[in-house]
Amino acid sequence: MKRTKFFFVAMIFIFCAALIGCGDSSTSTSQRSVAICFPNTTPSWQRNGDSLKKMLEEENFSVNIQFAGDTEEQKQQVTEVIESKPSCIVIGAIDSAAFAEVLTQAKDFSIPVIAFDRIILNTDAVSYYASFDNDAIGEGMGLYFESALNLKNGGGPYNIELFAGGPSDNNAHIFFRQTMQILEPYFQSGQLICRSGQKDFDSCAVADWNSSNARPRIQKILADFYGEETLHAVLSPNDDIAGVIIDELQKAGKPNVLISGLDGDPAAFERIKSGTQTFTISKDPDTLTAKCVRMIKAVVEGTQPDINDVTTYNNGVITVPAYLCTPQIIDKTNVQ
């Protein structure tokens, strides 16, 4: 089994440092325009967008930032910003597969397109991809459960239930697949038991990453399978969903459940301190946005941006050059 380098085992954390160079005063602001099209589906997207806008404006870029609540709204926003012919477009896609046709005109206008956090599928109009190491995120979740439950040394049996992210987000599939590669042998051995039987991605997915969509499922799972049985662990795909799951566990009188998270939301840090959430994987917005700003500066100024992956992200048409930052596991040992 492929084991992506992951700092969790020794709790040695590697940050991808990104220093932003000074703006080119010889280039006018009108020639340094950036359009940002992000979702507003989770709090982390708003933080990422605000951080990216601030950093770009400090570099003398004019910034047009748009937030969308659904795919059709975002496609319309991308269409409109392409018509304004900015120097660069940055897209955090709600639906990774929805932009192939829309971006054809961006390529016709020679506008560089950077996919932010989520790869854009089925188009050759994407210039670069800025994200975290998504394989490492999914693998890290699996390794944490493996270690915390002492599975390698025969721990168990433990009851665990599984949740995954939004089906339209390619990252959600990667996270779940990599986690399950770690955990599946322990299901086979009987050390892990999913009493609901819901172990495939489609059964576990939370539409649009919307935490309200997770609530009825965890309520039903608890009512149908854990009236008297102990639930030992829950795989949650992000912090927002973890908050809803924890709320329902508390209502059901089921404390001390091992629960994962993702994004490093401030609320998750507080839950980790209080002991209701076990860990989160932090995707530090300043780390990623700083790297994205460097990438934007390079493409606008006609230079080669920093790239550290040219093989992983085939979007169905091309392999998109990427810079992958390193995520960080946060639990009670380092949350302070």
Side-chain angles (χ1 to χ4, degrees):
M1 174 168 48
K2 174 179 174 288
R3 291 292 178 101
T4 308
K5 65 179 190 300
F6 208 89
F7 43 83
F8 146 67
V9 177
M11 297 304 282
I12 299 173
F13 307 113
I14 304 170
F15 292 91
C16 47
L19 301 176
I20 304 173
C22 298
D24 180 0
S25 59
S26 65
T27 306
S28 69
T29 302
S30 63
Q31 295 173 303
R32 295 167 62 86
S33 58
V34 178
I36 302 170
C37 297
F38 277 6
N40 63 7
T41 50
T42 63
S44 60
W45 279 110
Q46 185 70 51
R47 292 198 305 271
N48 286 336
D50 292 344
S51 177
L52 185 55
K53 182 175 185 292
K54 179 182 178 182
M55 289 185 183
L56 285 168
E57 288 176 342
E58 289 172 353
E59 291 293 325
N60 198 35
F61 284 92
S62 65
V63 181
N64 174 11
I65 186 167
Q66 308 267 353
F67 291 96
D70 57 50
T71 300
E72 288 308 310
E73 182 183 13
Q74 189 172 48
K75 286 171 67 176
Q76 182 60 37
Q77 290 174 351
V78 171
T79 299
E80 290 172 357
V81 300
I82 290 172
E83 291 172 354
S84 70
K85 297 183 180 178
S87 307
C88 181
I89 301 173
V90 183
I91 301 174
I94 294 176
D95 184 339
S96 299
F99 292 91
E101 183 177 351
V102 173
L103 291 179
T104 300
Q105 190 174 22
K107 184 177 180 182
D108 291 342
F109 289 160
S110 300
I111 302 171
V113 175
I114 296 173
F116 185 96
D117 193 47
R118 299 176 179 178
I119 194 66
I120 299 173
L121 300 173
N122 305 323
T123 175
D124 62 356
V126 182
S127 306
Y128 298 101
Y129 179 40
S131 186
F132 283 86
D133 188 333
N134 297 310
D135 287 319
I137 288 170
E139 187 175 279
M141 284 190 181
L143 290 172
Y144 197 104
F145 280 96
E146 180 184 67
S147 177
L149 297 174
N150 199 30
L151 297 173
K152 269 192 171 182
N153 296 319
Y158 294 112
N159 294 323
I160 184 172
E161 294 297 331
L162 311 170
F163 286 74
S168 63
D169 177 7
N170 188 62
N171 288 354
H173 296 263
I174 295 172
F175 300 154
F176 192 78
R177 180 180 68 242
Q178 294 300 110
T179 300
M180 290 301 287
Q181 283 186 1
I182 303 292
L183 298 185
E184 185 58 39
Y186 302 112
F187 285 108
Q188 296 296 324
S189 69
Q191 291 171 257
L192 292 179
I193 299 168
C194 179
R195 290 180 58 81
S196 72
Q198 298 167 10
K199 289 172 50 190
D200 63 287
F201 179 87
D202 290 342
S203 298
C204 298
V206 177
D208 301 322
W209 290 90
N210 188 327
S211 59
S212 64
N213 294 328
R215 191 177 297 275
R217 180 166 177 257
I218 187 62
Q219 288 173 337
K220 182 170 174 53
I221 286 172
L222 290 172
D224 290 354
F225 302 101
Y226 296 96
E228 299 297 330
E229 295 287 337
T230 299
L231 177 58
H232 300 97
V234 177
L235 172 68
S236 168
N238 75 356
D239 293 329
D240 201 29
I241 293 168
V244 165
I245 293 170
I246 290 165
D247 183 47
E248 293 302 323
L249 288 171
Q250 291 176 336
K251 291 177 183 177
K254 296 196 177 291
N256 305 318
V257 178
L258 194 165
I259 301 176
S260 61
L262 173 65
D263 288 333
D265 286 349
F269 294 157
E270 294 305 312
R271 290 193 296 266
I272 290 169
K273 290 176 186 177
S274 70
T276 57
Q277 182 171 332
T278 312
F279 73 99
T280 184
I281 298 183
S282 177
K283 296 163 59 178
D284 176 51
D286 289 341
T287 300
L288 180 57
T289 52
K291 179 53 63 178
C292 188
V293 169
R294 289 284 299 272
M295 192 175 280
I296 292 165
K297 281 170 58 66
V299 298
V300 171
E301 295 168 6
T303 61
Q304 176 64 39
D306 291 338
I307 296 299
N308 64 4
D309 187 293
V310 294
T311 61
T312 302
Y313 288 95
N314 187 301
N315 73 352
V317 177
I318 61 171
T319 299
V320 183
Y323 192 97
L324 305 178
C325 298
T326 305
Q328 179 183 12
I329 286 185
I330 305 292
D331 67 5
K332 64 183 180 181
T333 67
N334 65 338
V335 68
Q336 299 295 342

